[in-house]
Amino acid sequence: MRFTRAALVGAALITVTLTACAPPGQDGAPGVAATYEDVTVTNANIDQIYQAWLDDTKGTDVANRRQILTIELLKEDLLAKCKELGYPVTWSLAESQADQWIAFKGQQGEPSDDMIAATQGILALYVVVNVDPTFETLTEISDKVEAEADVSPRSGDYSTSTLIASVQAAMQSAENQQLGTQFSFVEYQNVNAFADTERPWFDRGTSAS
């Protein structure tokens, strides 16, 4: 049986799709967005967290793929640093803040576990930045992620300089909105450490999928 060139190209594209963004010659296991130390973030994890934001805030405050992945990669080191600094970000604290976040967005209902877990990472970032506004502590944590994390090219290139610029933007946005100490942390959901990488044919979308 002979196959046309069009059929072969179509088959190749189907193969790339089924391998969940890990085509031949590129790093990363199929379906994995990033790995760092003991943390493995899958595309399914990102979709699940995205859906939690969508459901819990009724679509009023939804993080995109890069923002979610940024927090997931930094979270464990940030939480450890908060505890070391004497400002632990506990699950109960995150739950309380997530509940306030939903109310702040004018919605009702209890936050899901996925939203609480994400809020815990966002709060930890907020604490570290406010305890050390020179960004030295955050830079140390982020540089380690940049050096050691294995990230799918789908998400772009992790960069500490991109992260710091994004944090500064979040700080300014919170100040401009006069969110004060109670709600400034919500702007840190928008923090992103990823920039586009050179991949002419690759998906660069910022949706969760």
Side-chain angles (χ1 to χ4, degrees):
M1 180 182 295
R2 297 182 63 186
F3 294 94
T4 65
R5 178 177 177 81
L8 291 172
V9 170
L13 289 175
I14 291 172
T15 299
V16 168
T17 301
L18 293 177
T19 55
C21 304
Q26 294 189 336
D27 295 334
V32 173
T35 57
Y36 169 63
E37 294 187 331
D38 295 331
V39 176
T40 297
V41 184
T42 67
N43 294 326
N45 293 148
I46 293 175
D47 288 341
Q48 184 173 333
I49 295 168
Y50 172 86
Q51 191 64 45
W53 283 111
L54 185 66
D55 293 342
D56 292 0
T57 70
K58 306 301 187 290
T60 59
D61 202 355
V62 182
N64 67 36
R65 176 185 179 83
R66 286 176 168 178
Q67 292 163 353
I68 292 169
L69 185 55
T70 296
I71 296 299
E72 289 303 297
L73 288 175
L74 290 168
K75 183 165 66 176
E76 293 305 318
D77 287 346
L78 288 171
L79 288 171
K81 179 58 67 172
C82 287
K83 186 175 181 179
E84 178 185 322
L85 293 170
Y87 300 98
V89 180
T90 63
W91 181 269
S92 60
L93 174 61
E95 183 176 15
S96 174
Q97 294 301 106
D99 189 65
Q100 291 186 46
W101 195 329
I102 290 172
F104 175 64
K105 291 300 175 179
Q107 306 304 319
Q108 295 180 341
E110 297 181 355
S112 63
D113 285 352
D114 286 319
M115 181 178 176
I116 295 169
T119 300
Q120 194 176 23
I122 293 164
L123 282 170
L125 175 60
Y126 176 75
V127 169
V128 166
V129 168
N130 280 271
V131 170
D132 181 9
T134 68
F135 298 117
E136 288 183 9
T137 302
L138 180 59
T139 295
E140 181 181 354
I141 292 171
S142 181
D143 280 349
K144 190 169 183 291
V145 175
E146 182 176 353
E148 299 179 13
D150 182 9
V151 180
S152 165
R154 177 183 186 184
S155 299
D157 291 327
Y158 185 100
S159 164
T160 294
S161 61
T162 299
L163 174 68
I164 298 301
S166 186
V167 168
Q168 291 172 325
M171 295 173 70
Q172 188 62 56
S173 179
E175 183 178 336
N176 292 344
Q177 296 177 69
Q178 299 182 331
L179 296 181
T181 56
Q182 185 176 6
F183 291 114
S184 287
F185 78 94
V186 303
E187 285 300 301
Y188 287 67
Q189 180 205 44
N190 303 318
V191 167
N192 164 51
F194 293 92
D196 283 343
T197 189
E198 291 301 323
R199 53 186 196 282
W201 59 274
F202 220 77
D203 169 49
R204 296 191 183 199
T206 55
S207 67
S209 298

